[in-house]
Amino acid sequence: MMIREIVLQHKAEKERFVLHAEKYVLRESIPYAQKFLDENIVKVISGPRRAGKSVFCILLLKNKNFAYLNFDDENLLKIKNYDEIIKALYEVYPDAKYFLFDEIQNLDKWELFVNKLHRRNFNLIIIGSNSKLLEREISSVLTGRYISVKVLPFSFREFLKAKNFELDKEKLHLPEIKGKILNLLSEYIFSGGFPEVVIKNLDAKIYLETLFDAILLKDVVKRYKVRFVPQIYDLAIYLLSNFSSEFSFTKIKNILGLKSVTTTQNYVRYLEESYLLFMLNRFSFKLKEQIKAPKKIYTVDNGFVLAKTFQLSVNIGKLMENAVFCELLRRNFRPNLDLFYYKAKNGKEVDFVVKQGPKAEKLIQVCYNAADPKTKEREIKALSDASDGLNCKNLEIISWDYEAEEKYEGKIIKFIPLWKWLLEKYD
């Protein structure tokens, strides 16, 4: 097939996207990306497969003159002379001002191709499904000349938009409105926020089971040439089954019979870089202790838990915690740089430590029923102990639907319902 024919096929795909642009949910991070659109830097849009990266870019560029190529096309990957690609692009898009390349990481030595185009003043927006790998490879040739924007599954605010639920702040106090929001929150907590599940009302379990396997095979096994596929599959399912919980590489190696701790660490890193899972370090002022302590594991979307694990009943408190973690990612907190968990010497745990500079800026605890006296006492005590240990007075407990502000040992603790916390605007 001639390259020009491939480009024309992709142009038709692009035009279908643009034609339906008004139907798509306007993602909240588009205004941030727009600020950099005309700057002389490469715009890197990354996130898991099917999270809406392509639609995000179409909405970003819908009123612009742009060329589009999707490197998830095997015919494109057979081309060895990349100048032929540029020639075909200009043959089809002679007046293009922007160039959008999708799944660019599939192209051999793609970072050199991007660097070459950047030096020739091409305005590039590139999409990829691999986080650190994408940034690591591009930073090797474009130090300081790119901006990274992450596109995750829908936030709860975006989820409500997709469900055509109009938020009216003046009516949020009404019990019928709260009831509807809690009903939608329950759906979001269990089924997640992948756009096609939300918008098309697909069977979340069937769709996400297939998607999980596709990410594992395409973005992990194929990309990293993993030879022992059953082992990395078992590892992914084990970690997913233990989401919002601590784990250690040594324990996993022994349970699953993996070759070594190093192999285990590499496999977990591959799963992280494909956006399936995330590791969170335990907070300590000593880096050595952070490295040695057990990690916590989270998944990019709650829907994967019900789709791929074999739990008879899922702990809703853990699902809430995972949703809070994902929202903190959307708010640009970086795991293991300014976001951690904490565990005191007495074993009491705080779910999230938000760090600012060298200090803990906020402590966040997540639980389902904070109105229950025993639960409330346990969560407050853990927060209070951590507050003393980390010298942090900004304390929050996120629960299903309990709202209050209470004093404990001279500290003020804010209780906030999950739905209200998820709907907060955050700059």
Side-chain angles (χ1 to χ4, degrees):
M1 182 183 290
M2 290 179 61
I3 303 175
R4 180 176 177 275
E5 291 174 9
I6 299 171
V7 177
L8 283 169
Q9 285 181 0
H10 293 195
K11 185 182 182 186
E13 181 183 334
K14 166 210 157 179
E15 288 172 349
R16 284 195 298 273
F17 272 127
V18 173
L19 184 65
H20 299 290
E22 299 303 321
K23 297 180 181 179
Y24 300 130
V25 174
L26 193 65
R27 304 302 294 267
E28 293 178 320
S29 49
I30 283 178
Y32 173 76
Q34 282 174 330
K35 292 190 292 186
F36 302 98
L37 197 53
D38 292 313
E39 292 193 15
N40 186 29
I41 53 176
V42 177
K43 278 63 73 173
V44 180
I45 313 298
S46 65
R49 284 180 183 269
R50 313 308 298 171
K53 300 184 298 297
S54 300
V55 169
F56 177 95
C57 291
I58 295 297
L59 291 171
L60 181 66
L61 294 165
K62 67 176 181 177
N63 297 318
K64 307 291 184 181
N65 189 346
F66 70 98
Y68 172 76
L69 265 189
N70 189 340
F71 289 91
D72 230 2
D73 186 326
E74 289 186 2
N75 292 314
L76 265 182
L77 304 182
K78 294 173 185 174
I79 298 164
K80 302 302 178 187
N81 183 355
Y82 296 164
D83 284 341
E84 293 295 316
I85 296 176
I86 300 305
K87 185 175 76 173
L89 276 171
Y90 270 103
E91 192 175 353
V92 175
Y93 299 98
D95 302 314
K97 305 298 181 188
Y98 305 85
F99 293 81
L100 175 59
F101 295 150
D102 207 343
E103 297 298 348
I104 187 71
Q105 78 276 355
N106 292 336
L107 189 68
D108 188 39
K109 296 182 179 177
W110 66 269
E111 69 276 17
L112 300 179
F113 176 57
V114 166
N115 186 37
K116 179 181 179 179
L117 296 182
H118 181 260
R119 290 200 314 269
R120 290 162 59 181
N121 292 320
F122 280 64
N123 193 329
L124 299 172
I125 301 94
I126 63 174
I127 302 173
S129 300
N130 192 295
S131 59
K132 293 174 185 173
L133 184 72
L134 199 66
E135 290 183 21
R136 186 167 62 240
E137 290 180 353
I138 200 168
S139 64
S140 67
V141 294
L142 282 175
T143 308
R145 290 176 289 165
Y146 73 96
I147 182 74
S148 178
V149 180
K150 289 178 173 52
V151 177
L152 300 178
F154 285 156
S155 68
F156 187 52
R157 294 178 298 273
E158 292 165 339
F159 175 89
L160 292 181
K161 284 182 194 173
K163 293 292 183 180
N164 296 313
F165 183 89
E166 293 292 331
L167 275 173
D168 185 341
K169 289 182 180 179
E170 294 181 2
K171 294 182 179 179
L172 287 179
H173 67 284
L174 296 174
E176 60 268 33
I177 300 300
K178 274 191 184 179
K180 289 177 181 179
I181 290 175
L182 289 171
N183 175 268
L184 288 164
L185 178 61
S186 183
E187 181 182 342
Y188 179 72
I189 285 295
F190 284 95
S191 298
F194 271 99
E196 287 184 289
V197 170
V198 178
I199 293 168
K200 298 180 181 178
N201 290 316
L202 300 177
D203 184 305
K205 188 178 190 315
I206 294 171
Y207 177 89
L208 293 172
E209 190 171 11
T210 303
L211 177 60
F212 187 93
D213 290 349
I215 293 173
L216 196 63
L217 290 170
K218 288 185 178 181
D219 296 328
V220 179
V221 173
K222 187 177 177 183
R223 176 79 204 191
Y224 297 101
K225 299 179 174 62
V226 176
R227 287 185 297 155
F228 301 105
V229 179
Q231 285 190 336
I232 199 163
Y233 185 85
D234 289 346
L235 171 64
I237 298 302
Y238 176 85
L239 290 172
L240 192 60
S241 301
N242 289 278
F243 75 105
S244 301
S245 301
E246 286 185 324
F247 77 96
S248 75
F249 294 114
T250 301
K251 184 179 177 182
I252 290 176
K253 168 196 166 290
N254 293 336
I255 289 173
L256 300 178
L258 296 173
K259 185 179 178 182
S260 66
V261 170
T262 301
T263 297
T264 308
Q265 289 173 325
N266 286 337
Y267 281 2
V268 174
R269 177 169 58 83
Y270 300 162
L271 295 169
E272 264 201 302
E273 293 185 352
S274 65
Y275 278 103
L276 275 176
L277 300 164
F278 297 90
M279 284 188 298
L280 191 65
N281 286 351
R282 183 187 293 179
F283 182 82
S284 172
F285 291 109
K286 297 177 181 177
L287 183 60
K288 186 177 179 181
E289 288 183 7
Q290 274 189 37
I291 294 169
K292 288 175 64 178
K295 319 293 182 188
K296 285 186 80 171
I297 198 77
Y298 295 95
T299 181
V300 74
D301 188 78
N302 280 15
F304 280 142
V305 176
L306 295 183
K308 292 300 295 184
T309 63
F310 306 101
Q311 302 176 40
L312 295 176
S313 62
V314 179
N315 185 323
I316 192 168
K318 287 187 177 295
L319 285 172
M320 289 171 60
E321 184 183 333
N322 195 83
V324 169
F325 173 81
C326 292
E327 179 61 21
L328 288 167
L329 290 186
R330 291 187 191 92
R331 296 178 184 186
N332 293 319
F333 290 106
R334 300 161 298 172
N336 313 320
L337 290 173
D338 43 32
L339 181 64
F340 301 83
Y341 82 98
Y342 179 75
K343 199 166 193 177
K345 290 180 180 177
N346 61 10
K348 289 177 180 171
E349 186 178 305
V350 170
D351 296 319
F352 301 109
V353 177
V354 176
K355 185 168 159 283
Q356 192 171 55
K359 297 181 179 179
E361 192 268 329
K362 182 186 282 189
L363 304 181
I364 301 173
Q365 197 73 307
V366 184
C367 69
Y368 177 63
N369 186 10
D372 175 69
K374 287 185 179 179
T375 303
K376 183 193 285 189
E377 183 181 355
R378 182 185 69 236
E379 305 297 347
I380 285 178
K381 190 72 172 70
L383 262 187
S384 180
D385 288 356
S387 172
D388 293 334
L390 299 175
N391 191 27
C392 177
K393 305 301 181 189
N394 191 357
L395 310 176
E396 272 185 5
I397 295 179
I398 299 171
S399 69
W400 187 251
D401 193 31
Y402 179 73
E403 188 166 12
E405 201 170 90
E406 300 183 12
K407 280 191 174 181
Y408 179 84
E409 294 183 348
K411 307 176 185 80
I412 295 174
I413 298 175
K414 183 180 179 183
F415 292 83
I416 182 167
L418 176 62
W419 66 267
K420 186 171 278 192
W421 184 85
L422 289 171
L423 294 178
E424 285 178 353
K425 283 292 181 184
Y426 194 90
D427 297 322

